[in-house]
């Protein structure tokens, strides 16, 4: 009996040590990088000191425009890069007038050929670029099975890889060399929560976002010693054209609310949901995976997304 209780004591001691170790290793850093650091201390990264200019892709709307406004507010001059020249000119004037900074625009379609990067390189030559926000991204109009998507619009799947992966790679290749020479610079890459949780029926989109996370992580390791900060930002839903959510809420904030929060995490987290409710959502999904199994979590998400697909198809039918 005594021996049994002694063994029980040892086993409970081991269990408590393992839980304690996991709390110290994972939970405390999570709390610091998502809550205490950003909200109580605030980002120590001075973006205005990285260089005179910030370059933002997909910057006429949504999250990209919100980044542009926040960077202009900090006094950076901007290069806005998007598809529609009219929208670019309107946003450039709006931000330039409000914050009194110079704003240049480049109209390119990131689903076009690689020659667009020659044009971007030429039009930004000689600028002291300290911040690059690789924000442009496109997604499915509604969740769909891979083969249905491929058979109806194979070009779209090529376009999504061009806009979401090639843009990040090539834009980084254009602006990283200048940052390396100066030994300072910040690259912010827009990934998505879709890239870190199960995301069936948006498989190509979520895979492109998983690429952004992995690329950012390894790039950060390569260039940290050169003074470069690389951050991968993984939003959940944000109220923009892409999400088709019009009314902001706690779990789908306005782009302005989201970006202010994401910028406060700079320097605390290199891979981040960028916004506390989205970080909690990721945490719940990861805990579900750990406690109830990955397959259980996948099935829950699949059921949910199948519901979204059904509603979207019904809406489409009504519109025809
Ligand atoms: N909104 C969300 O819920 C959410 C969630 C997770 C991740 N994200 C990611 O956040 C990023 C921004 O998303 P968002 O919701 O802000 O998007 P959005 O509101 O749809 O805005 C997209 C921006 O990109 C530009 N753009 C679109 N296609 C382009 C192309 N082929 N070439 C050049 N520019 C193009 C648009 O400009 P024009 O209209 O002038 O072409 C616009 O300025 C994306 O990478 C997205 O994957 C968004």
């Amino acid at each position: 009996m005594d021996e049994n209780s002694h063994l029980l004591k040892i086993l409970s001691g081991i269990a408590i040590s393992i839980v304690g170790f996991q709390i110290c290793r994972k939970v405390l850093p999570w709390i610091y990088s998502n809550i205490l650091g950003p909200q109580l201390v605030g980002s120590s990264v001075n973006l205005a000191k990285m260089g005179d200019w910030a370059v933002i892709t997909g910057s006429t709307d949504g999250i990209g425009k919100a980044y542009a406004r926040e960077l202009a507010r900090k006094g950076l001059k901007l290069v806005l890069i998007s598809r529609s020249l009219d929208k670019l000119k309107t946003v450039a004037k709006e931000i330039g007038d409000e914050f009194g900074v110079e704003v240049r625009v480049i109209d390119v379609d990131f689903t076009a050929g690689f020659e667009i990067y020659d044009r971007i390189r030429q039009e930004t030559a000689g600028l002291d670029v300290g911040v690059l926000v690789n924000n442009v991204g496109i997604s499915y109009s509604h969740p769909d099975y891979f083969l249905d998507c491929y058979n109806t619009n194979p070009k779209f799947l090529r376009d999504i890889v061009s806009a979401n992966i090639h843009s990040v790679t090539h834009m980084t290749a254009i602006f990283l060399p200048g940052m390396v020479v100066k030994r300072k610079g910040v690259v912010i890459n827009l990934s998505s929560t879709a890239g870190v949780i199960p995301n069936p029926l948006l498989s190509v989109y979520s895979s492109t976002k998983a690429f952004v996370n992995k690329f950012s992580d390894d790039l950060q390791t390569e260039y940290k010693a050169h003074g470069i900060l690389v951050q991968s930002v993984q939003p959940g839903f944000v109220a923009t054209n892409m999400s088709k959510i019009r009314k902001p809420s706690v779990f789908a904030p306005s782009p302005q609310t989201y970006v202010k929060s994401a910028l406060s995490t700079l320097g605390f987290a290199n891979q981040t949901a960028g916004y506390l409710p989205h970080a909690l959502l990721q945490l719940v999904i990861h805990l579900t995976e750990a406690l109830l199994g990955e397959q259980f979590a996948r099935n829950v998400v699949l059921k949910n997304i199948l519901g979204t697909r059904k509603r979207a198809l019904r809406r489409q039918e009504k519109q025809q």
Side-chain angles (χ1 to χ4, degrees), residues 14 26 37 76 89 132 137 167 187 216 218 229 246 255 268 304:
I14 293 174
K26 292 204 166 151
L76 282 134
K89 284 182 179 163
L132 168 64
S167 69
V187 180
S216 307
D218 288 339
L229 182 80
R246 290 206 169 79
F268 290 107
N304 196 287

Side-chain angles (χ1 to χ4, degrees), residues 58 60 63 83-84 87 108-110 135 205 209 236 238 240:
T60 49
I63 296 172
R83 198 171 30 184
S84 330
K87 273 170 82 178
V108 294
D109 183 339
F110 282 101
N135 163 79
Y205 174 75
K209 295 303 180 178
V238 178
T240 68

Side-chain angles (χ1 to χ4, degrees), residues 37 57-58 73 80 96-97 118 137 163 176 186 192 194 204 213 255 302 306 313:
T57 64
R73 195 190 303 281
L80 307 180
D97 287 352
D118 295 333
L176 190 59
V186 172
S192 167
V204 178
N213 288 328
L302 177 63
L306 275 170
L313 290 178

